[in-house]
Coordinates of all heavy atoms in Angstrom, one line a residue:
M1 N 171.7 108.9 8.7 CA 170.9 109.3 9.9 C 171.8 110.1 10.8 O 173.0 109.8 11.0 CB 170.4 108.0 10.6 CG 169.4 108.4 11.7 SD 168.6 106.8 12.1 CE 167.6 107.5 13.4
A2 N 171.2 111.1 11.4 CA 171.9 111.9 12.3 C 172.2 111.2 13.7 O 171.5 110.2 14.1 CB 171.1 113.2 12.7
K3 N 173.3 111.5 14.3 CA 173.7 110.9 15.5 C 172.7 111.1 16.6 O 172.4 110.4 17.4 CB 175.1 111.4 15.9 CG 176.2 110.9 15.1 CD 177.5 111.4 15.6 CE 178.7 110.9 14.8 NZ 179.9 111.4 15.3
N4 N 172.1 112.3 16.6 CA 171.2 112.7 17.7 C 169.8 112.7 17.0 O 169.4 113.6 16.2 CB 171.5 114.1 18.2 CG 170.6 114.5 19.3 OD1 169.7 113.8 19.7 ND2 170.8 115.7 19.9
S5 N 169.0 111.7 17.4 CA 167.6 111.6 16.8 C 166.7 112.7 17.2 O 165.6 112.9 16.6 CB 167.1 110.2 17.1 OG 166.9 110.2 18.5
D6 N 167.0 113.4 18.3 CA 166.2 114.5 18.7 C 166.4 115.8 17.9 O 165.5 116.7 17.8 CB 166.4 114.9 20.2 CG 166.1 113.8 21.1 OD1 165.3 113.0 20.8 OD2 166.6 113.7 22.2
N7 N 167.4 115.9 17.1 CA 167.7 117.0 16.3 C 167.1 116.8 14.9 O 167.7 116.3 14.0 CB 169.3 117.2 16.2 CG 169.6 118.4 15.4 OD1 168.7 119.2 15.0 ND2 170.9 118.6 15.2
L8 N 165.9 117.3 14.7 CA 165.2 117.1 13.5 C 165.7 118.0 12.4 O 165.5 117.7 11.2 CB 163.7 117.3 13.6 CG 163.0 116.3 14.6 CD1 161.6 116.7 14.7 CD2 163.2 115.0 14.1
L9 N 166.4 119.0 12.8 CA 167.0 119.9 11.7 C 168.0 119.2 10.9 O 168.2 119.5 9.7 CB 167.6 121.2 12.3 CG 166.6 122.2 12.9 CD1 167.3 123.3 13.6 CD2 165.7 122.7 11.8
G10 N 168.8 118.3 11.6 CA 169.8 117.5 10.9 C 169.2 116.4 10.0 O 170.0 115.8 9.2
M11 N 168.0 116.2 10.1 CA 167.3 115.1 9.3 C 166.5 115.6 8.2 O 165.5 115.0 7.7 CB 166.5 114.2 10.2 CG 167.3 113.5 11.3 SD 166.3 112.6 12.4 CE 165.7 111.3 11.3
G12 N 166.7 116.8 7.8 CA 166.0 117.4 6.6 C 164.8 118.3 7.0 O 164.1 118.8 6.1
G13 N 164.6 118.4 8.3 CA 163.5 119.3 8.7 C 163.8 120.7 8.5 O 165.0 121.1 8.5
R14 N 162.8 121.5 8.4 CA 163.0 122.9 8.2 C 162.2 123.7 9.3 O 161.1 123.3 9.5 CB 162.5 123.4 6.8 CG 163.5 123.1 5.7 CD 163.1 123.7 4.4 NE 162.3 124.9 4.6 CZ 161.7 125.5 3.5 NH1 161.7 125.0 2.4 NH2 161.0 126.6 3.7
R15 N 162.8 124.6 9.8 CA 162.2 125.5 10.9 C 161.4 126.6 10.2 O 162.0 127.3 9.4 CB 163.3 126.0 11.8 CG 162.8 126.5 13.0 CD 163.8 126.7 14.0 NE 165.1 127.1 13.5 CZ 166.2 127.3 14.3 NH1 166.2 127.1 15.5 NH2 167.3 127.6 13.8
A16 N 160.2 126.7 10.5 CA 159.4 127.8 10.0 C 159.8 129.1 10.7 O 160.0 129.1 11.9 CB 157.9 127.5 10.2
T17 N 159.8 130.1 9.9 CA 160.1 131.5 10.5 C 158.8 132.0 11.1 O 157.8 132.1 10.4 CB 160.7 132.5 9.6 OG1 159.8 132.5 8.3 CG2 162.0 132.1 9.0
V18 N 158.9 132.3 12.4 CA 157.7 132.8 13.1 C 158.1 134.2 13.7 O 159.1 134.3 14.4 CB 157.4 131.8 14.3 CG1 156.1 132.4 15.0 CG2 157.2 130.4 13.7
S19 N 157.3 135.2 13.4 CA 157.6 136.5 13.8 C 157.3 136.6 15.3 O 156.7 135.8 16.0 CB 156.7 137.5 13.1 OG 155.3 137.3 13.5
R20 N 158.0 137.7 15.9 CA 157.8 137.9 17.4 C 156.3 138.2 17.7 O 155.8 137.7 18.7 CB 158.6 139.1 17.8 CG 160.0 138.7 18.1 CD 160.8 139.9 18.7 NE 162.1 139.5 19.0 CZ 162.9 140.3 19.6 NH1 162.5 141.5 20.1 NH2 164.2 139.9 19.9
S21 N 155.7 139.0 16.9 CA 154.3 139.3 17.2 C 153.4 138.0 17.1 O 152.4 137.9 18.0 CB 153.7 140.3 16.2 OG 153.8 139.8 14.9
A22 N 153.7 137.1 16.3 CA 152.9 135.8 16.2 C 153.2 135.0 17.5 O 152.3 134.4 18.0 CB 153.3 135.0 15.0
L23 N 154.4 135.0 18.0 CA 154.7 134.2 19.2 C 154.0 134.9 20.4 O 153.7 134.2 21.3 CB 156.2 134.3 19.4 CG 157.1 133.4 18.5 CD1 158.5 133.7 18.7 CD2 156.7 131.9 18.7
R24 N 153.8 136.2 20.4 CA 153.2 136.9 21.5 C 151.7 137.0 21.4 O 151.1 137.5 22.2 CB 153.8 138.3 21.6 CG 155.3 138.3 22.0 CD 155.8 139.7 22.1 NE 157.2 139.7 22.4 CZ 158.0 140.7 22.3 NH1 157.5 141.8 21.9 NH2 159.2 140.5 22.6
G25 N 151.2 136.4 20.3 CA 149.7 136.5 20.2 C 149.3 137.3 19.1 O 148.2 137.2 18.6
G26 N 150.1 138.3 18.7 CA 149.8 139.1 17.5 C 148.5 139.9 17.7 O 148.0 140.1 18.8
K27 N 148.0 140.4 16.6 CA 146.8 141.2 16.7 C 145.6 140.3 16.2 O 144.4 140.8 16.2 CB 146.9 142.4 15.7 CG 148.0 143.3 16.2 CD 147.9 144.6 15.5 CE 148.9 145.6 16.1 NZ 148.6 146.9 16.2
G28 N 145.7 139.1 15.9 CA 144.6 138.3 15.4 C 144.0 137.5 16.5 O 144.7 137.2 17.5
G29 N 142.7 137.3 16.4 CA 142.1 136.4 17.3 C 141.9 136.9 18.7 O 141.2 137.8 19.0
A30 N 142.6 136.3 19.6 CA 142.4 136.5 21.0 C 142.8 137.9 21.5 O 142.2 138.4 22.4 CB 143.1 135.4 21.9
G31 N 143.8 138.5 20.9 CA 144.3 139.8 21.4 C 145.1 139.7 22.6 O 144.9 138.7 23.4
G32 N 145.9 140.6 22.9 CA 146.8 140.5 24.1 C 146.1 141.1 25.3 O 145.0 141.6 25.2
G33 N 146.8 140.9 26.4 CA 146.3 141.5 27.6 C 145.4 140.5 28.4 O 145.2 139.4 28.0
P34 N 144.9 141.0 29.6 CA 144.2 140.1 30.5 C 142.8 139.9 30.0 O 142.2 140.6 29.2 CB 144.1 141.0 31.8 CG 144.3 142.3 31.4 CD 145.2 142.3 30.1
S35 N 142.2 138.8 30.5 CA 140.9 138.4 30.0 C 139.8 139.4 30.6 O 140.2 140.1 31.5 CB 140.5 137.0 30.4 OG 140.5 136.9 31.9
E36 N 138.7 139.3 30.1 CA 137.5 140.1 30.6 C 137.3 139.8 32.1 O 137.1 140.7 32.9 CB 136.3 139.9 29.8 CG 135.2 140.9 30.0 CD 135.6 142.3 29.6 OE1 136.3 142.5 28.7 OE2 135.1 143.2 30.3
E37 N 137.3 138.5 32.5 CA 137.1 138.2 33.8 C 138.2 138.8 34.8 O 137.8 139.3 35.8 CB 137.1 136.6 34.0 CG 136.9 136.2 35.4 CD 136.9 134.6 35.5 OE1 136.6 134.0 34.5 OE2 137.2 134.1 36.6
A38 N 139.4 138.8 34.3 CA 140.5 139.3 35.1 C 140.3 140.9 35.3 O 140.6 141.4 36.3 CB 141.9 139.0 34.5
R39 N 139.9 141.5 34.2 CA 139.7 142.9 34.3 C 138.5 143.3 35.3 O 138.7 144.2 36.0 CB 139.3 143.5 32.9 CG 140.4 143.7 32.0 CD 140.0 144.5 30.8 NE 140.8 144.0 29.7 CZ 140.3 143.5 28.6 NH1 139.0 143.5 28.3 NH2 141.1 143.0 27.6
E40 N 137.5 142.4 35.3 CA 136.4 142.7 36.2 C 136.9 142.5 37.6 O 136.5 143.4 38.5 CB 135.2 141.7 35.9 CG 134.5 142.0 34.6 CD 133.5 141.0 34.2 OE1 133.3 140.0 35.1 OE2 132.9 141.1 33.2
R41 N 137.6 141.4 37.9 CA 138.1 141.3 39.3 C 139.0 142.4 39.7 O 139.0 142.8 40.8 CB 138.9 139.9 39.3 CG 138.0 138.7 39.4 CD 138.8 137.5 39.7 NE 139.2 137.0 38.4 CZ 140.4 136.4 38.1 NH1 141.2 136.2 39.1 NH2 140.7 136.0 36.9
R42 N 139.9 142.9 38.8 CA 140.8 144.0 39.1 C 140.0 145.2 39.5 O 140.3 145.9 40.4 CB 141.7 144.2 37.9 CG 142.7 145.3 38.2 CD 143.8 145.5 37.2 NE 144.5 144.3 36.9 CZ 144.7 143.7 35.8 NH1 144.3 144.3 34.6 NH2 145.4 142.6 35.6
Q43 N 138.9 145.5 38.7 CA 138.1 146.6 38.9 C 137.4 146.6 40.3 O 137.2 147.5 41.0 CB 137.0 146.8 37.8 CG 137.6 147.3 36.5 CD 138.4 148.6 36.6 OE1 137.9 149.5 37.3 NE2 139.5 148.7 35.9
E44 N 136.9 145.3 40.6 CA 136.3 145.1 42.0 C 137.3 145.4 43.1 O 136.9 146.1 44.1 CB 135.7 143.7 42.1 CG 134.5 143.4 41.2 CD 134.1 142.0 41.3 OE1 134.5 141.3 42.3 OE2 133.4 141.5 40.4
L45 N 138.5 144.9 42.9 CA 139.5 145.1 44.0 C 139.8 146.6 44.1 O 140.0 147.1 45.2 CB 140.8 144.4 43.6 CG 140.7 142.9 43.9 CD1 142.0 142.2 43.4 CD2 140.6 142.7 45.4
L46 N 139.9 147.3 43.0 CA 140.2 148.7 43.0 C 139.2 149.5 43.7 O 139.4 150.4 44.5 CB 140.5 149.3 41.6 CG 141.8 149.0 41.0 CD1 141.8 149.4 39.5 CD2 142.9 149.6 41.7
G47 N 137.9 149.0 43.4 CA 136.7 149.8 44.1 C 136.8 149.6 45.6 O 136.6 150.5 46.4
K48 N 137.1 148.4 46.1 CA 137.2 148.0 47.5 C 138.3 148.8 48.2 O 138.2 149.4 49.2 CB 137.4 146.6 47.7 CG 136.2 145.7 47.4 CD 136.5 144.3 47.6 CE 135.4 143.3 47.2 NZ 135.7 141.9 47.4
L49 N 139.4 148.9 47.4 CA 140.6 149.7 48.0 C 140.3 151.2 48.1 O 140.6 151.8 49.1 CB 141.8 149.5 47.1 CG 142.5 148.1 47.2 CD1 143.5 148.0 46.2 CD2 143.0 147.9 48.6
R50 N 139.6 151.7 47.1 CA 139.2 153.1 47.2 C 138.2 153.4 48.2 O 138.3 154.4 48.9 CB 138.6 153.5 45.8 CG 139.7 153.6 44.8 CD 139.1 154.1 43.4 NE 140.2 154.1 42.5 CZ 140.1 153.7 41.2 NH1 139.0 153.2 40.7 NH2 141.2 153.8 40.4
E51 N 137.2 152.5 48.5 CA 136.3 152.6 49.5 C 137.0 152.6 50.9 O 136.8 153.5 51.8 CB 135.3 151.5 49.6 CG 134.3 151.6 48.5 CD 133.3 150.4 48.4 OE1 133.3 149.6 49.3 OE2 132.6 150.2 47.4
R52 N 137.9 151.7 51.1 CA 138.7 151.6 52.4 C 139.5 152.9 52.6 O 139.5 153.5 53.7 CB 139.7 150.5 52.4 CG 139.0 149.1 52.5 CD 140.0 148.0 52.6 NE 139.4 146.8 52.5 CZ 140.1 145.6 52.2 NH1 141.4 145.7 52.1 NH2 139.5 144.5 52.1
Q53 N 140.1 153.4 51.5 CA 141.0 154.5 51.6 C 140.1 155.8 52.0 O 140.4 156.6 52.8 CB 141.7 154.8 50.3 CG 142.8 155.8 50.4 CD 143.7 155.8 49.1 OE1 143.1 155.7 48.0 NE2 144.9 156.1 49.2
A54 N 138.9 155.9 51.3 CA 138.0 157.0 51.6 C 137.5 156.9 53.1 O 137.4 158.0 53.7 CB 136.8 157.0 50.6
A55 N 137.3 155.7 53.6 CA 136.8 155.6 55.0 C 138.0 156.0 55.9 O 137.7 156.6 56.9 CB 136.4 154.2 55.2
Q56 N 139.2 155.6 55.6 CA 140.3 156.0 56.4 C 140.5 157.5 56.4 O 140.8 158.1 57.5 CB 141.6 155.3 56.0 CG 141.6 153.8 56.3 CD 142.8 153.1 55.8 OE1 143.6 153.8 55.0 NE2 143.0 151.8 56.2
V57 N 140.4 158.2 55.3 CA 140.5 159.6 55.3 C 139.4 160.2 56.0 O 139.6 161.3 56.7 CB 140.4 160.1 53.8 CG1 140.3 161.6 53.6 CG2 141.7 159.6 53.0
A58 N 138.2 159.7 55.9 CA 137.1 160.3 56.7 C 137.3 160.2 58.2 O 137.0 161.0 59.0 CB 135.8 159.6 56.3
E59 N 137.8 159.0 58.7 CA 138.1 158.8 60.0 C 139.2 159.8 60.5 O 139.1 160.3 61.6 CB 138.6 157.3 60.3 CG 137.5 156.3 60.2 CD 138.0 154.9 60.5 OE1 139.2 154.7 60.8 OE2 137.2 154.0 60.3
G60 N 140.1 160.0 59.7 CA 141.3 160.9 60.1 C 140.7 162.4 60.2 O 141.1 163.1 61.1
A61 N 139.8 162.7 59.3 CA 139.2 164.0 59.4 C 138.3 164.3 60.6 O 138.3 165.3 61.3 CB 138.4 164.4 58.1
E62 N 137.6 163.2 61.0 CA 136.8 163.3 62.2 C 137.6 163.3 63.4 O 137.3 164.0 64.4 CB 135.8 162.1 62.3 CG 134.7 162.1 61.2 CD 133.9 160.8 61.2 OE1 134.2 159.9 62.1 OE2 133.0 160.6 60.4
A63 N 138.8 162.6 63.4 CA 139.6 162.6 64.6 C 140.3 163.9 64.8 O 140.5 164.4 66.0 CB 140.7 161.5 64.4
Q64 N 140.5 164.6 63.7 CA 141.2 166.0 63.8 C 140.1 167.1 64.3 O 140.5 168.1 64.9 CB 141.8 166.4 62.5 CG 143.0 165.6 62.2 CD 143.6 166.0 60.8 OE1 143.0 166.8 60.1 NE2 144.7 165.3 60.4
S65 N 138.9 166.9 64.0 CA 137.9 167.9 64.4 C 137.6 167.9 65.8 O 137.7 167.1 66.6 CB 136.6 167.6 63.6 OG 136.8 167.7 62.2

């Protein structure tokens, strides 16, 4: 028996080789990147920011006239 019982490699265990792509989610199943809900929230935020920016630009143009 190995001195360190936490070390399963010393007890005849084998480590499976796992590719980097499999660790990161790979191309199968869920796919990488943000969820659909996160994308929708991001689009809403971008829309709000663009509206604010357009309003500020309009105010600046009115102030100069």
Side-chain angles (χ1 to χ4, degrees):
M1 188 168 179
K3 290 182 181 179
N4 185 358
S5 61
D6 294 338
N7 183 4
L8 296 178
L9 289 176
M11 297 180 66
R14 282 189 25 193
R15 196 167 29 186
T17 51
V18 180
S19 67
R20 278 189 177 183
S21 62
L23 288 172
R24 294 179 181 167
K27 296 196 178 215
S35 65
E36 189 66 33
E37 181 181 332
R39 279 191 217 124
E40 290 173 6
R41 280 186 277 147
R42 186 175 297 133
Q43 290 300 321
E44 288 176 21
L45 281 173
L46 284 172
K48 289 179 185 178
L49 289 172
R50 287 181 180 137
E51 288 175 10
R52 286 183 194 166
Q53 195 172 33
Q56 288 176 353
V57 168
E59 287 178 6
E62 290 176 3
Q64 290 179 358
S65 296

